[in-house]
Amino acid sequence: MSLLAGVRINPKNGSLKCDRMLENYFREFRELQQTPVKLLELGVFGGGSLKIWDGFFPNGSVFGIDREFKFDLAGRNRERCFLGD
């Protein structure tokens, strides 16, 4: 089976990640969950995973960078997205 076989747009959160991948992330980052982390995501697609990280790290800041993005960050206080390649 291909590593990308289960990757799809997750209807629950709009991210391009499978549930298993998210479970792994959450397990690995659980100890940091309440700390004021600064997370940078390269390639934000539709912004769904920015929402996930914002909810997972309530005391953190979430940044994204992509060549283009077509989503609205209005009302999303701790998320920032920048254009770049």
Side-chain angles (χ1 to χ4, degrees):
M1 173 153 69
S2 164
L3 288 174
L4 299 176
V7 175
R8 65 197 181 328
I9 297 176
N10 189 317
K12 291 185 277 187
N13 52 47
S15 71
L16 190 62
K17 294 179 176 44
C18 65
D19 290 338
R20 181 193 242 168
M21 189 182 297
L22 292 174
E23 289 167 11
N24 289 335
Y25 286 160
F26 294 163
R27 183 184 65 248
E28 293 297 322
F29 296 131
R30 183 177 37 230
E31 292 179 17
L32 300 172
Q33 190 170 7
Q34 297 304 318
T35 63
V37 300
K38 291 182 179 174
L39 183 130
L40 172 64
E41 179 157 2
L42 303 175
V44 297
F45 188 60
S49 55
L50 294 177
K51 288 184 205 176
I52 292 170
W53 294 124
D54 186 57
F56 187 75
F57 294 114
N59 300 312
S61 298
V62 180
F63 303 91
I65 189 167
D66 206 325
R67 288 184 278 174
E68 64 178 270
F69 55 93
K70 298 175 183 176
F71 55 93
D72 189 5
L73 286 171
R76 294 163 69 171
N77 300 329
R78 293 178 300 121
E79 300 168 49
R80 301 286 184 266
C81 203
F82 302 94
L83 291 174
D85 190 353

